[in-house]
Structure formats: C-alpha cells, structure tokens
Amino acid sequence: KGLDGKANSAPSWPSIDQMVAAVPVRPYAFEAPKSFAGPAGGNGVQYGVLEYAGSIPKPHASGEAKFSLLKGVLTDNEAAQLLSMCSQILSEEIGSGRARDLDSVDGRPRFAVDIAEFGVLSSKCAPDVRPLVETALLPLVRQKYDCPTASLSSAYFRRFVPEERRFVPPHYEHGSFAVLVIALQEPTSYTGGFFVQGSGKAFMDRRFIQLNRGDI
C-alpha cells in the first residue's frame, strides 16, 4: 500500500515475451548480389547461387566480421523434409524429458537436438542428412573458403515456442572455422529471426537477415 493507504497501481515488469516482441525488426541492407558458382552436386552438374556479402564491426576488437547470405541452396522439398524429420526427433526427445541440457550461452535449457557431434551424424537422421552435407553444404564451404579439408564438426536443430525458448542472447562463435545457419521456414511464419549486431548496445544496431526457406 502507498502512503495514502491505497494499493499502488504501479505496472509490473514486462515479461520476456513482451520484451522480445518489442525489439524493432530492422533488416540488414545488403549490396547487390553476385553470382557464386557452387561445386558440382551429387548429379555432377555445377550449380550457382546468389551470394549477398555483408560485414559488421567486431565488438571490442578491430576489423570487420564478414558473413554471406546464399539464396536457395536447399530446395523447398529438401528444407521441408529436414524440418519434418528434425521436428519429430526433437518432439520425441522433449516428450521423454530430454533435450533440456543447459545452453552454454545463457545457462537455460536448450530445447534442441544434436544432429551431429564430433563429426559423427546421429543414426536417427544420417540417411537423410548425409547427402545434403556431402553434396551441398561441405562442397560450398570448401570452395568458398578455399579449404578442401574443411569437415563437419557439429550440427543441431533448435525450435522456438512460447512454453520453451523464445530467443538466444547475442554471442560469438569464436571456436568455429565456419558457421552455417539453414532456414527451414518462411519469414512470414515468425517474427524476428537471425540477426547480426556490431556493438554491445542493446538493440540499437541490431539488424535482421531475411532468410527464406532453403537459404543459408
């Protein structure tokens, strides 16, 4: 109660969902794309994708952090099959009380399932994932970064739902040679998404990358 004997009507702190929803979704402005000639796929035919190159200042360090958006690397069918398979595996894990190990980024439950660990694909998804890794993803990484020995280290599938996890705080992938983020849904099905941020200023220079299904 306040000094006048009446109950205070001060508003409560906003929930995490409200704070996430309040973040302005500003898109990252790429320059004109350039054609990126990918290596030969499983059918022996070389394919090409459009590459959008971007960069942001490295927080607390000199230089620029560079990244690329590759359009339509996976077909709609490949992305849909991958989403369906991984969703089923993760739902089974969560339903059994698993997939709740703590995330190293924020110490909260991951609600994710590992597709590959230490370079070894999970037996549950290897038949479907191995062709994508060996004929599309790894050849792109090896050619783009001129590293013929680059190999898969780890991969995981994560979902975001209100009852589990809604976001991952900003963090830096210092221990990886290259990180690939694969979009499995159209951007119209969610708010927010993958973003880049060149400083520690909360939300001020955060820019979101519009990823369509099958983009990397």
Side-chain angles (χ1 to χ4, degrees):
K1 291 181 180 299
L3 293 177
D4 60 358
K6 296 180 180 179
N8 289 324
S9 58
S12 60
W13 288 99
S15 67
I16 291 179
D17 289 349
Q18 289 172 328
M19 290 189 290
V20 171
V23 176
V25 182
R26 303 187 184 97
Y28 182 89
F30 285 99
E31 296 182 358
K34 62 180 180 180
S35 178
F36 175 71
N43 55 7
V45 178
Q46 189 178 58
Y47 61 94
V49 297
L50 288 180
E51 177 187 15
Y52 293 82
S55 65
I56 56 171
K58 290 183 178 180
H60 316 297
S62 60
E64 296 278 315
K66 298 181 179 180
F67 56 92
S68 295
L69 168 60
L70 302 177
K71 301 294 293 181
V73 177
L74 271 61
T75 66
D76 279 348
N77 186 53
E78 289 172 334
Q81 289 182 343
L82 189 59
L83 175 62
S84 176
M85 176 194 64
C86 292
S87 295
Q88 180 178 350
I89 294 174
L90 180 56
S91 294
E92 293 173 354
E93 290 288 301
I94 292 176
S96 302
R98 297 188 291 271
R100 289 173 169 82
D101 47 317
L102 301 184
D103 198 305
S104 60
V105 175
D106 58 7
R108 301 177 63 194
R110 292 176 66 205
F111 292 107
V113 62
D114 290 308
I115 298 174
E117 290 186 275
F118 305 106
V120 179
L121 288 168
S122 167
S123 59
K124 294 182 179 180
C125 57
D128 297 297
V129 175
R130 191 182 306 280
L132 295 177
V133 171
E134 295 181 351
T135 65
L137 305 182
L138 270 182
L140 280 174
V141 171
R142 288 168 177 169
Q143 178 169 316
K144 178 171 176 55
Y145 295 103
D146 192 23
C147 183
T149 59
S151 60
L152 175 67
S153 173
S154 62
Y156 63 90
F157 173 82
R158 188 199 296 275
R159 75 181 185 188
F160 297 90
V161 297
E163 299 79 12
E164 299 171 358
R165 175 181 280 272
R166 294 300 302 271
F167 69 99
V168 177
H171 59 283
Y172 312 104
E173 303 286 356
H174 295 297
S176 304
F177 173 72
V179 177
L180 274 63
V181 177
I182 304 175
L184 300 178
Q185 291 179 296
E186 292 297 337
T188 54
S189 64
Y190 58 87
T191 299
F194 182 76
F195 64 84
V196 294
Q197 184 172 325
S199 76
K201 300 178 181 178
F203 311 147
M204 295 301 292
D205 65 345
R206 184 171 296 182
R207 294 294 183 269
F208 288 80
I209 311 298
Q210 182 169 321
L211 293 166
N212 295 315
R213 177 182 287 187
D215 292 350
I216 294 178

